[in-house]
Amino acid sequence: MATHALYVESGPQRKSTLVHVLDLLGCVVFGRTTDEAVAAAPEEIRLYLRYLARHGEAVDPQERIEAAVAEHITKGDIIGRGASDIVFAPERVPFGAAQLAQYLRWLEWSRADLLKLVKEIDAKTLAKKPSEGRSLRDILLHVLEADMGYVYAALGPVKEVGEPARAALRGDLDLRVALGEERDAAIARLRAATPAERVAARGPRSDRTTFRRALRRMLEHEWEHRREIERRLAGTPDRGPRARTRR
């Protein structure tokens, strides 16, 4: 049996909630209420373990899973939908070298899986607006722009990350090419970050461990939207978090 600590963000009324599973970086659960999100966590953890196992990680998707809330933050920017100004207790400790190398691999897998999903979809289908929600193109543009924001928040502007993103946003570069180039450049810059950059606080809050948060949100955000696209392609109603104008 494995017990996973849950790190929760919601408003004080415990409505829209995100549950973060920090020992499985990138595993995140959205719920319309805190109780709903916490109750859904074990199955989402199992899905994430299956995903990691498919990529060769030494995990057991069949293990008995228990989950318990370790920390619950109820104040922050767009709380419950990916607050940009919160840091959970474990995130105050910098990544070790082995951890960082592992999570950079996960970033590679995540983007490759996203691109595989949409590889054969023509431009007209990508741009088609569904009866509810955004087009696939708009979802992908949102992921692209958010990734640039996460890297910039952690390390400042990175030309190699920004150029493909901006070119795609202008319509000058195929979106899928831009997604690949941007992630490659982001991984290279994250890998090259100095020890000081990995622990530096950026922005108005002195306790923001933005490097760790950038990796967490890059993995979480793509997991959310990759699953959104999977549901769309399967014709399953989307019950995940709605589009966010902020990160």
Side-chain angles (χ1 to χ4, degrees), residues 31 49 62 91 95 108 115 147 164 167-168 191 205 212 224:
L49 289 171
Q62 304 306 316
E91 295 181 305
F95 287 133
E108 290 177 359
L115 291 174
D147 250 27
R191 182 178 288 119
R205 288 176 60 98
R212 281 194 66 129
E224 290 178 298

Side-chain angles (χ1 to χ4, degrees), residues 34-222:
T34 298
D35 287 346
E36 177 187 313
V38 171
E43 183 56 29
E44 195 73 15
I45 288 169
R46 193 173 307 282
L47 289 172
Y48 204 76
L49 289 171
R50 288 173 182 159
Y51 162 72
L52 294 176
R54 287 198 301 272
H55 284 285
E57 288 288 353
V59 296
D60 180 9
Q62 304 306 316
E63 68 186 3
R64 181 182 171 190
I65 294 171
E66 288 194 357
V69 175
E71 187 176 358
H72 189 170
I73 295 177
T74 58
K75 292 183 180 180
D77 174 32
I78 60 169
I79 194 75
R81 292 183 174 271
S84 63
D85 61 344
I86 63 172
V87 55
F88 295 105
E91 295 181 305
R92 300 181 190 281
V93 179
F95 287 133
Q99 275 186 312
L100 177 58
Q102 180 184 50
Y103 295 144
L104 293 178
R105 288 199 309 272
W106 292 13
L107 284 172
E108 290 177 359
W109 302 339
S110 180
R111 184 54 50 92
D113 287 348
L114 176 66
L115 291 174
K116 184 177 179 180
L117 265 182
V118 299
K119 179 180 178 181
E120 303 299 332
I121 302 177
D122 61 77
K124 183 177 179 180
T125 303
L126 281 177
K128 183 179 179 181
K129 294 282 188 181
S131 58
E132 183 179 353
R134 299 167 293 179
S135 68
L136 293 174
R137 175 177 172 78
D138 285 344
I139 296 170
L140 294 172
L141 283 169
H142 173 63
V143 171
L144 183 76
E145 191 173 17
D147 250 27
M148 181 175 66
Y150 294 138
V151 174
Y152 280 25
L155 296 167
V158 179
K159 179 181 178 182
E160 294 80 6
V161 172
E163 283 185 342
R166 286 190 289 270
L169 290 165
R170 291 193 307 267
D172 295 338
L173 181 64
D174 181 274
L175 180 53
R176 286 161 287 200
V177 173
L179 283 161
E181 291 183 357
E182 180 197 57
R183 179 56 58 88
D184 288 346
I187 290 171
R189 180 64 181 92
L190 290 164
R191 182 178 288 119
T194 66
E197 286 176 322
R198 294 175 190 176
V199 299
R202 294 180 61 88
R205 288 176 60 98
S206 62
D207 63 352
R208 286 180 66 183
T209 51
T210 48
F211 187 88
R212 281 194 66 129
R213 181 184 177 275
L215 266 72
R216 169 168 65 80
R217 285 305 293 154
M218 288 169 77
L219 286 165
E220 289 178 342
H221 192 249
E222 195 157 55

Side-chain angles (χ1 to χ4, degrees), residues 2-10 14 17-30 33-46 48 65-73 86 88-91 216 220:
T3 300
H4 296 272
L6 306 181
Y7 293 85
V8 182
E9 59 169 278
S10 77
R14 298 180 174 236
T17 299
L18 273 187
V19 171
H20 309 268
V21 187
L22 298 186
D23 62 347
L24 294 171
L25 205 70
C27 184
V28 64
V29 190
F30 174 78
T33 67
T34 298
D35 287 346
E36 177 187 313
V38 171
E43 183 56 29
E44 195 73 15
I45 288 169
R46 193 173 307 282
Y48 204 76
I65 294 171
E66 288 194 357
V69 175
E71 187 176 358
H72 189 170
I73 295 177
I86 63 172
F88 295 105
E91 295 181 305
R216 169 168 65 80
E220 289 178 342

